[in-house]
Amino acid sequence: MADRLKSVYQNLGLPRIIIILFFFALLISAGLLGLNVPSMFGDVLVRVGMNGVLVLAMIPSIQCGIGLNFGLSIGIIAGLLGGVTSIQLGLTGFSGFIFAIALGVFLSIPLGILYGMLLNRIKGAEMTVSTYVGFSVIALMNIFWLLIPFNSPSLIFAIGGGLRVTVDLSSFYKHILNDFLAFNINTPSGVITFPTGLYLFLALCCFLVWLFLRSKPGIAMSAAGINGKFALAAGINENKTRILGTTLSTALSAVGIIVYAQSYGFYQLYNAPLMMSFAAAAGVLIGGASVTRSKIFHVLIGTFLFQGLLVLGLPVANELMPEGNLSEVIRIIVSNGIILYALTKSQGGKNE
Amino acid sequence: MNNTTGKRILNFIFDYKVPILFLALSVAGVLVSKQSLNFLFLELLARFGRDTFLVIALIIPVITGMGLNFSIVVGAMAAQVAVFFVTHWLQTGIPTCPAPLAFLLCVLVCTPLAILFGWLAGKLFNKIKGAEMIGGLILGYFSDGLYQFFFLFVLGGIIPIVNKTLMLATGIGVKNSVDLATNKKFTGLKYSVDNILKLPLVDCLKYLFAAVVILGIVMAILQKLKGKKLITTTYWFLLAICTIFFGLSFLPSFIEFAKILRIPVVTYLLIGGLCLFIEWLLKTRLGQNMRAVGQNRVVANSAGINVDRTRVIAIIISTVLASYGQLLYIQNLGVFTTYGAHTNVALYSIAALLVGGASVYKATVKQAIVGVLLFHTLFIVSPLAGQTLMNDAMIGEYFRVFICYGVIAMSLVMHAWKKKKEKKALNGAGDSSAVSADLLQNE
């Protein structure tokens, strides 16, 4: 028994155990404080669905060997471009949503390939470089959002001067997935709406990634991600599989931001996507992934725990400490703490 | 002869390509924005005094091979904790304490904190060798969370703070911004160093010239006594520049132009002292060890240097210096924005250092100073330049943010690229060296 406990401890690591215990502590205190736990659970369901694809985007990048993709913002930018173009064209409903995704993916592929080629030249420093490349791209896009010659009134400020900071989607495709085939679950303390469409879409994405990882190129990519030299001996071109993984990750994040936005109800432009890749990285790491290995299961469990912490944390924290934004502080500490922990576990003088 | 001179000029341009590029950008920005030079110099003198200390704090870790120290944020936090408590004491217990003494009190409070934070950061970096930069960045964010927790909930929530003027309405958590100006009731930290001695620029140039001449005489005497050559070309260069400025300070038009420019002498002397300290430190045994560790950890280790310890010391020094730098920064701003003052410290300081021509593995005091001047010139003029060029000041704002991120990204890419090439060269040189490269890698 002691041995089993020890192995569980070693597999999970102290930070994850703390996070899990913290999650349950929040759950119990929410119950004790008489908060509406089922409705919070409904919130968690929605937020897992809306963040899931973005977190899923970490899988190909981790598997192909570039580590956590802190340059997720490159794909996010492509997705946002697809999104604002769909609005400029006045597309609503599913056609708008699908157009946004199609254009986002279409734009993200060349960007992903370029980004992958850059990362191939700087092996060993991917995470540092990708962070700042991601930041630079966001800063460059800030200028672009100001100059882009779009004129749809939903997109631009009435007084001129570039695109809005948040673009409202309520007359376009807000909640298009959330409401698709949604059904209500009656609980003693209220009704939870299950966002069926959101989960169908997430399941589809997960299934496609799962399928890809079991396909021949997917297996080759994972093998090259573990050890480039052995893969070379097996006739796999590591550089190509890395570009493949990076591109896939970028394309998934383009899809991810559109799914996120339709659920949130807004496209957030300018500096909003700056830190999104850190949240996604924290999600997959909390689920049990490392900087070198990850599974789809990690995405689901990690997103659930992380979003659960945030959703439960807010009302519980407000109940205990009415002033200040304790839940935001918890988010900062948890998400960055888990990334730091993962770095200490995997780096260990490896990347010289 | 002609050929070599041409080559030397080309080499010079190549070596200093980043500063030259930014010099061109700055000059273009100044011309386009039509900013008055008076205003520009006024801003620049203030910003130089405010930011240079922080930028120089980055040099030691670069030399020790730990890259750009993104974790100077934790030093800034140490300084801010000190600023808060000293302001609190000034308002409750010691209202008549002279401002310079209050500043010294800040230094006293923040030094042990910064040493502790630096030690912790150094320990962490020893666990993630090779990933110090991303680790430092994330550490900055992580400690920002802890910092917010401390200032929003611990202060007032757990540690009782009697002085309600500093706190939010509920008494738990510190206000978003605290005014540090001195008023009738109590002294504040605002300008506590800057105001010790402020002299017009024209006078300062005269004193500077006198100091340099005296230094030359002293060195000449020592040279005679010791028989060692002390007066180098650098000195003659310095003397020439000082003489030009000395001459300038008598020009009526220059006096008119520089009328509003006043130098906070003590702040500038502190910066000068720090430059000398860094130069001196690098000549000591510790400094030599740092260089050795920076060049090759394996070799340094086999030469009997305690690599981990040297690295931790480097980070501690950097963190402590950063905390002093942040103290100078806050006393110059005069307003302490509790939750925002530290967030961009690492970004701006690192970008400034890189603009000066430094890189991930090489940085000097000179580069830091050039970098601060160029970076802040660009910073001052870019919103106005954006306004005149594109009719939108926001473009200039975003452009300067892009410059910050972009110059860091470029520098990191160049560094990683070079490293990979070196490794390839090692690997390609045959089996034995391939093994040693692997050893290097695994260490």
Side-chain angles (χ1 to χ4, degrees):
Chain A
M1 188 63 196
D3 279 355
R4 268 195 72 186
L5 272 181
K6 209 175 165 189
S7 82
V8 167
Y9 172 79
Q10 270 167 358
N11 280 336
L12 283 175
L14 187 62
R16 274 184 207 109
I17 293 176
I18 293 174
I19 288 170
I20 291 168
L21 289 179
F22 191 54
F23 177 77
F24 282 110
L26 279 179
L27 204 61
I28 291 166
S29 48
L32 289 178
L33 290 168
L35 298 170
N36 188 349
V37 178
S39 102
M40 284 194 231
F41 203 74
D43 279 353
V44 177
L45 274 182
V46 171
R47 293 183 60 157
V48 170
M50 80 194 240
N51 285 287
V53 185
L54 277 174
V55 182
L56 188 68
M58 284 291 163
I59 297 255
S61 83
I62 294 177
Q63 289 299 111
C64 79
I66 68 163
L68 299 167
N69 183 4
F70 289 127
L72 219 56
S73 26
I74 296 172
I76 291 179
I77 288 296
L80 287 176
L81 266 174
V84 293
T85 312
S86 77
I87 290 175
Q88 166 69 15
L89 297 177
L91 300 168
T92 58
F94 265 108
S95 60
F97 180 69
I98 289 167
F99 176 85
I101 285 188
L103 185 61
V105 171
F106 177 75
L107 289 172
S108 69
I109 287 171
L111 285 175
I113 291 173
L114 283 175
Y115 176 45
M117 280 159 67
L118 170 74
L119 290 184
N120 275 342
R121 287 170 201 273
I122 49 135
K123 276 179 200 157
E126 289 94 346
M127 284 189 273
T128 324
V129 171
S130 63
T131 306
Y132 272 88
V133 170
F135 285 170
S136 314
V137 168
I138 296 276
L140 194 63
M141 286 308 288
N142 281 344
I143 303 176
F144 183 75
W145 298 130
L146 282 178
L147 298 177
I148 191 170
F150 279 176
N151 56 12
S152 159
S154 329
L155 277 176
I156 54 169
F157 282 120
I159 45 163
L163 301 191
R164 288 166 193 269
V165 178
T166 51
V167 178
D168 187 8
L169 291 180
S170 39
S171 51
F172 295 93
Y173 39 80
K174 184 183 179 182
H175 286 181
I176 188 124
L177 287 180
N178 293 38
D179 294 345
F180 181 71
L181 295 179
F183 58 88
N184 292 337
I185 306 167
N186 287 315
T187 63
S189 49
V191 180
I192 302 176
T193 308
F194 186 81
T196 318
L198 195 59
Y199 275 88
L200 283 178
F201 192 85
L202 178 63
L204 176 73
C205 289
C206 287
F207 177 69
L208 288 178
V209 172
W210 183 84
L211 211 62
F212 167 75
L213 288 177
R214 261 145 205 80
S215 70
K216 208 176 157 205
I219 292 171
M221 187 184 87
S222 296
I226 297 169
N227 191 323
K229 279 183 194 142
F230 288 136
L232 188 66
I236 301 166
N237 184 341
E238 189 201 359
N239 283 349
K240 273 192 184 152
T241 59
R242 279 166 59 107
I243 292 178
L244 179 67
T246 314
T247 311
L248 205 62
S249 173
T250 310
L252 271 173
S253 63
V255 178
I257 191 66
I258 296 167
V259 174
Y260 180 92
Q262 65 80 28
S263 178
Y264 185 65
F266 299 95
Y267 280 122
Q268 297 167 285
L269 306 179
Y270 299 94
N271 279 331
L274 199 63
M275 306 304 272
M276 276 183 178
S277 41
F278 293 95
V284 73
L285 291 174
I286 289 172
S290 74
V291 177
T292 45
R293 287 295 81 183
S294 63
K295 293 181 201 155
I296 289 169
F297 173 72
H298 296 151
V299 171
L300 298 175
I301 191 81
T303 316
F304 177 76
L305 275 176
F306 189 42
Q307 298 302 329
L309 271 187
L310 300 186
V311 172
L312 287 171
L314 187 63
V316 172
N318 281 349
E319 203 72 20
L320 296 175
M321 279 250 189
E323 276 307 310
N325 199 348
L326 186 58
S327 128
E328 170 68 7
V329 174
I330 292 171
R331 184 189 67 78
I332 297 173
I333 296 178
V334 165
S335 63
N336 292 302
I338 191 79
I339 298 175
L340 266 188
Y341 170 76
L343 285 176
T344 60
K345 278 291 141 189
S346 65
Q347 217 66 30
K350 192 190 72 182
N351 283 337
E352 192 67 11
Chain B
M1 193 68 197
N2 214 353
N3 189 19
T4 50
T5 326
K7 254 187 190 162
R8 272 168 78 183
I9 292 173
L10 271 183
N11 275 342
F12 177 84
I13 291 177
F14 192 74
D15 285 347
Y16 294 91
K17 54 187 177 300
V18 181
I20 289 173
L21 173 71
F22 277 91
L23 184 65
L25 266 177
S26 303
V27 171
V30 171
L31 292 179
V32 167
S33 68
K34 301 197 180 70
Q35 189 88 279
S36 86
L37 279 181
N38 255 352
F39 174 78
L40 179 68
F41 277 107
L42 191 66
E43 273 286 298
L44 201 58
L45 282 180
R47 281 163 176 267
F48 186 82
R50 198 187 296 158
D51 289 313
T52 314
F53 211 96
L54 277 165
V55 179
I56 294 176
L58 291 167
I59 292 175
I60 294 288
V62 171
I63 284 170
T64 319
M66 305 175 79
L68 304 161
N69 184 11
F70 284 94
S71 73
I72 57 167
V73 184
V74 297
M77 287 172 190
Q80 286 166 209
V81 172
V83 166
F84 172 77
F85 278 108
V86 170
T87 309
H88 172 58
W89 292 330
L90 281 173
Q91 299 194 353
T92 51
I94 41 169
T96 51
C97 173
L101 268 186
F103 186 83
L104 275 185
L105 195 60
C106 282
V107 171
L108 268 183
V109 176
C110 86
T111 309
L113 270 178
I115 290 175
L116 173 71
F117 292 172
W119 180 73
L120 290 172
K123 285 273 163 195
L124 175 77
F125 288 162
N126 277 340
K127 284 197 167 192
I128 51 170
K129 282 184 192 133
E132 290 97 347
M133 281 189 274
I134 183 75
L137 184 74
I138 305 282
L139 176 66
Y141 295 142
F142 177 69
S143 43
D144 187 34
L146 296 178
Y147 175 89
Q148 287 188 27
F149 184 75
F150 181 75
F151 271 85
L152 276 174
F153 304 105
V154 175
L155 287 177
I158 296 166
I159 303 174
I161 301 285
V162 225
N163 182 6
K164 293 292 174 242
T165 51
L166 292 177
M167 310 305 281
L168 293 166
T170 49
I172 298 173
V174 179
K175 268 202 249 168
N176 276 328
S177 78
V178 176
D179 186 15
L180 299 180
T182 304
N183 59 23
K184 278 179 206 135
K185 278 188 259 160
F186 35 75
T187 23
L189 286 165
K190 188 175 184 181
Y191 296 147
S192 53
V193 178
D194 289 354
N195 271 358
I196 298 175
L197 182 61
K198 261 194 169 171
L199 290 177
L201 178 68
V202 181
D203 292 354
C204 287
L205 291 176
K206 286 171 188 156
Y207 291 133
L208 185 67
F209 177 73
V212 170
V213 170
I214 292 172
L215 179 75
I217 295 170
V218 171
M219 286 212 297
I221 294 170
L222 280 176
Q223 197 168 322
K224 272 270 158 62
L225 288 177
K226 285 191 175 168
K228 242 192 329 189
K229 193 168 187 281
L230 285 172
I231 298 184
T232 53
T233 10
T234 326
Y235 175 78
W236 290 117
F237 194 63
L238 189 70
L239 187 68
I241 291 179
C242 287
T243 317
I244 294 172
F245 279 120
F246 183 63
L248 260 182
S249 69
F250 287 103
L251 270 181
S253 55
F254 183 77
I255 293 173
E256 181 61 31
F257 167 77
K259 216 165 45 184
I260 54 162
L261 304 177
R262 293 172 73 83
I263 301 246
V265 178
V266 179
T267 316
Y268 275 58
L269 282 181
L270 283 174
I271 292 168
L274 178 66
C275 297
L276 293 179
F277 169 75
I278 298 277
E279 296 284 342
W280 168 80
L281 182 72
L282 291 177
K283 288 202 182 94
T284 60
R285 191 177 174 76
L286 179 65
Q288 295 301 326
N289 285 356
M290 285 171 176
R291 276 186 203 281
V293 171
Q295 259 148 25
N296 192 325
R297 292 206 296 271
V298 185
V299 174
N301 191 32
S302 53
I305 298 170
N306 188 337
V307 172
D308 283 4
R309 191 167 157 271
T310 313
R311 285 162 53 95
V312 171
I313 292 175
I315 290 296
I316 291 179
I317 293 176
S318 173
T319 312
V320 171
L321 290 180
S323 73
Y324 296 164
Q326 184 75 357
L327 286 180
L328 282 178
Y329 178 86
I330 291 173
Q331 64 87 28
N332 180 276
L333 275 188
V335 182
F336 169 41
T337 41
T338 319
Y339 305 103
H342 56 279
T343 39
N344 283 332
V345 163
L347 174 66
Y348 291 160
S349 309
I350 287 172
L353 185 67
L354 295 175
V355 165
S359 62
V360 176
Y361 43 88
K362 193 166 173 288
T364 62
V365 172
K366 227 190 307 176
Q367 286 165 337
I369 290 172
V370 172
V372 171
L373 291 176
L374 290 178
F375 180 74
H376 282 288
T377 310
L378 203 60
F379 230 77
I380 296 163
V381 296
S382 58
L384 249 177
Q387 178 72 50
T388 27
L389 273 184
M390 302 280 197
N391 215 5
D392 193 343
M394 278 316 279
I395 289 184
E397 299 264 348
Y398 286 135
F399 179 70
R400 63 188 195 184
V401 176
F402 171 65
I403 288 281
C404 291
Y405 290 134
V407 74
I408 297 178
M410 265 323 282
S411 171
L412 292 173
V413 168
M414 298 310 274
H415 171 61
W417 202 324
K418 198 174 161 189
K419 251 197 159 162
K420 198 189 159 209
K421 266 190 191 157
E422 275 168 12
K423 221 197 246 167
K424 224 178 201 172
L426 265 176
N427 277 334
D431 273 317
S432 58
S433 54
V435 170
S436 69
D438 274 353
L439 275 178
L440 256 176
Q441 197 176 348
N442 299 325
E443 199 209 331

